[in-house]
Amino acid sequence: QTPSVETYLRNGNFTILAPNNNAIGNLDADVLQLIVTDEDARALFILHHATPGFVEILDFVDGPLGMESNQNITVDASGGLPTFTDEAGTTANVIPPPDNEEPNGIVHIIDAALVPMFPVPTTTQPATTDAPGTTTDVEPTTTALSLPEQNAQDIEELDERITELEKRLEECGCRNGKGKGKGK
């Protein structure tokens, strides 16, 4: 049995681009419905916000960035804090302060959710006619990615972690630049 996405992310070193609660609330209703009801879609969505290793804010460079979803987002690091853009053109900005360190990675809170390209569901094509009176069944096709098994609580746990991080940022006064942040 493969581990859940939450377990997978906790057991590696990752940089997480964590959409805040408003970003999740602003998702298209169809996308939100999909990630709430489909475990594979939810796992893909979560993994689309994680990249391997510890990437501090000043270490991002212009160009494609490979995510754990096996898809890329585009980074624009040309001015100030970098921005991140998904395939659909949604751009997420970093909400200061960046470089929120966790035991196994770094979290950057962002103001928009980065939506992956979701796989086309499995379809069965109709049988084809080879010759008069004969048919050949066509095997089902899919473009789905092989993803770790996802449990139903992962999205709630991620939301709780984001809420806790935002609470800690509020408590230290870091939200308004008055905190004791790293100050790069």
Side-chain angles (χ1 to χ4, degrees):
Q1 183 174 351
T2 56
S4 70
V5 169
E6 184 75 15
T7 301
Y8 174 75
L9 292 175
R10 284 186 181 169
N11 290 326
N13 295 319
F14 297 98
T15 297
I16 305 294
L17 302 175
N20 65 8
N21 291 339
N22 287 339
I24 299 297
N26 288 331
L27 279 169
D28 177 80
D30 291 336
V31 171
L32 189 57
Q33 179 68 23
L34 181 64
I35 64 175
V36 167
T37 60
D38 184 283
E39 291 181 15
D40 288 337
R42 184 171 41 255
L44 182 65
F45 179 82
I46 292 169
L47 293 173
H48 199 60
H49 291 85
T51 192
F54 293 83
V55 185
E56 292 186 339
I57 206 69
L58 296 178
D59 294 334
F60 284 103
V61 295
D62 287 344
L65 176 64
M67 305 308 283
E68 286 296 303
S69 62
N70 293 322
Q71 297 179 31
N72 291 335
I73 61 171
T74 302
V75 177
D76 179 352
S78 63
L81 296 175
T83 60
F84 307 95
T85 304
D86 64 21
E87 290 288 324
T90 299
T91 298
N93 300 290
V94 174
I95 299 174
D99 299 334
N100 301 288
E101 293 185 17
E102 293 293 325
N104 68 328
I106 296 177
V107 177
H108 305 290
I109 306 297
I110 56 176
D111 67 356
L114 302 167
V115 178
M117 299 302 289
F118 289 105
V120 175
T122 301
T123 60
T124 302
Q125 299 177 5
T128 59
T129 303
D130 291 336
T134 65
T135 61
T136 303
D137 288 331
V138 177
E139 292 296 318
T141 59
T142 182
T143 58
L145 301 173
S146 174
L147 298 173
E149 185 176 327
Q150 169 69 45
N151 70 43
Q153 296 177 357
D154 282 347
I155 195 80
E156 292 175 19
E157 290 173 10
L158 181 60
D159 189 45
E160 288 171 10
R161 289 174 68 192
I162 291 169
T163 301
E164 178 61 29
L165 182 58
E166 288 178 331
K167 182 179 174 185
R168 289 184 3 213
L169 291 171
E170 290 293 332
E171 288 172 356
C172 77
C174 298
R175 281 259 184 229
N176 56 16
K178 296 178 185 173
K180 304 176 269 190
K182 291 177 80 171
K184 290 197 170 205

PDB file of all heavy atoms in Angstrom, residues 19-20 23-24 27 45 49 86 90-92 110-115:
ATOM      1  N   PRO A  19      -1.398  27.730  -0.682  1.00  0.00           N
ATOM      2  CA  PRO A  19      -2.442  28.734  -0.885  1.00  0.00           C
ATOM      3  C   PRO A  19      -3.144  29.043   0.430  1.00  0.00           C
ATOM      4  O   PRO A  19      -3.442  28.132   1.198  1.00  0.00           O
ATOM      5  CB  PRO A  19      -3.413  28.076  -1.867  1.00  0.00           C
ATOM      6  CG  PRO A  19      -2.884  26.734  -2.179  1.00  0.00           C
ATOM      7  CD  PRO A  19      -1.685  26.470  -1.341  1.00  0.00           C
ATOM      8  N   ASN A  20      -3.393  30.330   0.685  1.00  0.00           N
ATOM      9  CA  ASN A  20      -4.108  30.685   1.910  1.00  0.00           C
ATOM     10  C   ASN A  20      -5.592  30.341   1.759  1.00  0.00           C
ATOM     11  O   ASN A  20      -6.037  29.888   0.699  1.00  0.00           O
ATOM     12  CB  ASN A  20      -3.877  32.156   2.284  1.00  0.00           C
ATOM     13  CG  ASN A  20      -4.447  33.134   1.281  1.00  0.00           C
ATOM     14  OD1 ASN A  20      -5.155  32.785   0.345  1.00  0.00           O
ATOM     15  ND2 ASN A  20      -4.128  34.404   1.469  1.00  0.00           N
ATOM     16  N   ALA A  23      -7.423  31.894  -1.121  1.00  0.00           N
ATOM     17  CA  ALA A  23      -7.074  31.296  -2.413  1.00  0.00           C
ATOM     18  C   ALA A  23      -7.906  30.045  -2.666  1.00  0.00           C
ATOM     19  O   ALA A  23      -8.409  29.836  -3.780  1.00  0.00           O
ATOM     20  CB  ALA A  23      -5.587  30.969  -2.459  1.00  0.00           C
ATOM     21  N   ILE A  24      -8.054  29.216  -1.656  1.00  0.00           N
ATOM     22  CA  ILE A  24      -8.875  28.003  -1.801  1.00  0.00           C
ATOM     23  C   ILE A  24     -10.329  28.398  -2.031  1.00  0.00           C
ATOM     24  O   ILE A  24     -11.006  27.840  -2.893  1.00  0.00           O
ATOM     25  CB  ILE A  24      -8.741  27.094  -0.561  1.00  0.00           C
ATOM     26  CG1 ILE A  24      -7.289  26.641  -0.372  1.00  0.00           C
ATOM     27  CG2 ILE A  24      -9.686  25.899  -0.649  1.00  0.00           C
ATOM     28  CD1 ILE A  24      -6.709  25.805  -1.479  1.00  0.00           C
ATOM     29  N   LEU A  27     -11.244  29.315  -5.655  1.00  0.00           N
ATOM     30  CA  LEU A  27     -11.153  28.321  -6.723  1.00  0.00           C
ATOM     31  C   LEU A  27     -12.468  28.237  -7.484  1.00  0.00           C
ATOM     32  O   LEU A  27     -13.550  28.430  -6.916  1.00  0.00           O
ATOM     33  CB  LEU A  27     -10.839  26.937  -6.152  1.00  0.00           C
ATOM     34  CG  LEU A  27      -9.393  26.638  -5.829  1.00  0.00           C
ATOM     35  CD1 LEU A  27      -9.294  25.344  -5.040  1.00  0.00           C
ATOM     36  CD2 LEU A  27      -8.559  26.563  -7.094  1.00  0.00           C
ATOM     37  N   PHE A  45      -3.651  17.917  -6.829  1.00  0.00           N
ATOM     38  CA  PHE A  45      -3.725  19.324  -6.446  1.00  0.00           C
ATOM     39  C   PHE A  45      -2.700  19.646  -5.353  1.00  0.00           C
ATOM     40  O   PHE A  45      -1.963  20.625  -5.431  1.00  0.00           O
ATOM     41  CB  PHE A  45      -5.149  19.666  -5.977  1.00  0.00           C
ATOM     42  CG  PHE A  45      -5.320  21.078  -5.532  1.00  0.00           C
ATOM     43  CD1 PHE A  45      -5.521  22.093  -6.449  1.00  0.00           C
ATOM     44  CD2 PHE A  45      -5.285  21.410  -4.182  1.00  0.00           C
ATOM     45  CE1 PHE A  45      -5.676  23.417  -6.043  1.00  0.00           C
ATOM     46  CE2 PHE A  45      -5.438  22.719  -3.760  1.00  0.00           C
ATOM     47  CZ  PHE A  45      -5.636  23.722  -4.698  1.00  0.00           C
ATOM     48  N   HIS A  49       1.574  21.806  -5.447  1.00  0.00           N
ATOM     49  CA  HIS A  49       2.052  22.925  -4.624  1.00  0.00           C
ATOM     50  C   HIS A  49       3.340  22.572  -3.890  1.00  0.00           C
ATOM     51  O   HIS A  49       3.755  23.300  -2.995  1.00  0.00           O
ATOM     52  CB  HIS A  49       0.959  23.355  -3.639  1.00  0.00           C
ATOM     53  CG  HIS A  49      -0.203  24.003  -4.318  1.00  0.00           C
ATOM     54  ND1 HIS A  49      -1.234  23.272  -4.854  1.00  0.00           N
ATOM     55  CD2 HIS A  49      -0.472  25.304  -4.576  1.00  0.00           C
ATOM     56  CE1 HIS A  49      -2.103  24.112  -5.414  1.00  0.00           C
ATOM     57  NE2 HIS A  49      -1.664  25.355  -5.255  1.00  0.00           N
ATOM     58  N   ASP A  86       0.447  28.955 -13.122  1.00  0.00           N
ATOM     59  CA  ASP A  86       0.107  27.601 -13.561  1.00  0.00           C
ATOM     60  C   ASP A  86      -0.181  27.584 -15.061  1.00  0.00           C
ATOM     61  O   ASP A  86      -0.137  28.623 -15.728  1.00  0.00           O
ATOM     62  CB  ASP A  86      -1.053  27.032 -12.740  1.00  0.00           C
ATOM     63  CG  ASP A  86      -2.372  27.780 -12.907  1.00  0.00           C
ATOM     64  OD1 ASP A  86      -2.563  28.493 -13.920  1.00  0.00           O
ATOM     65  OD2 ASP A  86      -3.229  27.649 -12.021  1.00  0.00           O
ATOM     66  N   THR A  90      -3.100  31.312 -14.140  1.00  0.00           N
ATOM     67  CA  THR A  90      -3.317  31.884 -12.811  1.00  0.00           C
ATOM     68  C   THR A  90      -1.966  32.178 -12.176  1.00  0.00           C
ATOM     69  O   THR A  90      -1.091  31.315 -12.139  1.00  0.00           O
ATOM     70  CB  THR A  90      -4.106  30.915 -11.910  1.00  0.00           C
ATOM     71  OG1 THR A  90      -5.371  30.669 -12.511  1.00  0.00           O
ATOM     72  CG2 THR A  90      -4.289  31.488 -10.509  1.00  0.00           C
ATOM     73  N   THR A  91      -1.795  33.409 -11.701  1.00  0.00           N
ATOM     74  CA  THR A  91      -0.537  33.806 -11.065  1.00  0.00           C
ATOM     75  C   THR A  91      -0.750  33.973  -9.573  1.00  0.00           C
ATOM     76  O   THR A  91      -1.699  34.620  -9.132  1.00  0.00           O
ATOM     77  CB  THR A  91      -0.008  35.114 -11.677  1.00  0.00           C
ATOM     78  OG1 THR A  91       0.262  34.883 -13.064  1.00  0.00           O
ATOM     79  CG2 THR A  91       1.262  35.582 -10.988  1.00  0.00           C
ATOM     80  N   ALA A  92       0.155  33.372  -8.816  1.00  0.00           N
ATOM     81  CA  ALA A  92       0.122  33.462  -7.349  1.00  0.00           C
ATOM     82  C   ALA A  92       1.285  34.312  -6.878  1.00  0.00           C
ATOM     83  O   ALA A  92       2.413  34.155  -7.348  1.00  0.00           O
ATOM     84  CB  ALA A  92       0.204  32.068  -6.741  1.00  0.00           C
ATOM     85  N   ILE A 110       0.933  31.620  -0.459  1.00  0.00           N
ATOM     86  CA  ILE A 110       0.611  32.306  -1.711  1.00  0.00           C
ATOM     87  C   ILE A 110      -0.862  32.699  -1.743  1.00  0.00           C
ATOM     88  O   ILE A 110      -1.678  32.119  -1.029  1.00  0.00           O
ATOM     89  CB  ILE A 110       0.985  31.452  -2.946  1.00  0.00           C
ATOM     90  CG1 ILE A 110       0.316  30.073  -2.900  1.00  0.00           C
ATOM     91  CG2 ILE A 110       2.506  31.322  -3.058  1.00  0.00           C
ATOM     92  CD1 ILE A 110       0.561  29.217  -4.143  1.00  0.00           C
ATOM     93  N   ASP A 111      -1.175  33.690  -2.586  1.00  0.00           N
ATOM     94  CA  ASP A 111      -2.526  34.253  -2.599  1.00  0.00           C
ATOM     95  C   ASP A 111      -3.447  33.656  -3.653  1.00  0.00           C
ATOM     96  O   ASP A 111      -4.571  34.115  -3.824  1.00  0.00           O
ATOM     97  CB  ASP A 111      -2.457  35.769  -2.758  1.00  0.00           C
ATOM     98  CG  ASP A 111      -1.922  36.216  -4.110  1.00  0.00           C
ATOM     99  OD1 ASP A 111      -1.511  35.369  -4.935  1.00  0.00           O
ATOM    100  OD2 ASP A 111      -1.890  37.447  -4.338  1.00  0.00           O
ATOM    101  N   ALA A 112      -2.999  32.644  -4.375  1.00  0.00           N
ATOM    102  CA  ALA A 112      -3.838  31.979  -5.374  1.00  0.00           C
ATOM    103  C   ALA A 112      -3.448  30.505  -5.424  1.00  0.00           C
ATOM    104  O   ALA A 112      -2.284  30.158  -5.220  1.00  0.00           O
ATOM    105  CB  ALA A 112      -3.668  32.618  -6.746  1.00  0.00           C
ATOM    106  N   ALA A 113      -4.422  29.655  -5.675  1.00  0.00           N
ATOM    107  CA  ALA A 113      -4.143  28.224  -5.813  1.00  0.00           C
ATOM    108  C   ALA A 113      -3.657  27.956  -7.234  1.00  0.00           C
ATOM    109  O   ALA A 113      -4.174  28.512  -8.202  1.00  0.00           O
ATOM    110  CB  ALA A 113      -5.396  27.416  -5.529  1.00  0.00           C
ATOM    111  N   LEU A 114      -2.632  27.123  -7.340  1.00  0.00           N
ATOM    112  CA  LEU A 114      -2.090  26.717  -8.633  1.00  0.00           C
ATOM    113  C   LEU A 114      -2.782  25.421  -9.035  1.00  0.00           C
ATOM    114  O   LEU A 114      -2.655  24.403  -8.365  1.00  0.00           O
ATOM    115  CB  LEU A 114      -0.578  26.523  -8.532  1.00  0.00           C
ATOM    116  CG  LEU A 114       0.172  27.773  -8.059  1.00  0.00           C
ATOM    117  CD1 LEU A 114       1.601  27.430  -7.690  1.00  0.00           C
ATOM    118  CD2 LEU A 114       0.114  28.858  -9.118  1.00  0.00           C
ATOM    119  N   VAL A 115      -3.540  25.477 -10.102  1.00  0.00           N
ATOM    120  CA  VAL A 115      -4.363  24.333 -10.489  1.00  0.00           C
ATOM    121  C   VAL A 115      -3.605  23.499 -11.524  1.00  0.00           C
ATOM    122  O   VAL A 115      -3.193  24.012 -12.563  1.00  0.00           O
ATOM    123  CB  VAL A 115      -5.720  24.805 -11.052  1.00  0.00           C
ATOM    124  CG1 VAL A 115      -6.564  23.617 -11.491  1.00  0.00           C
ATOM    125  CG2 VAL A 115      -6.464  25.627 -10.003  1.00  0.00           C
TER     126      VAL A 115
END
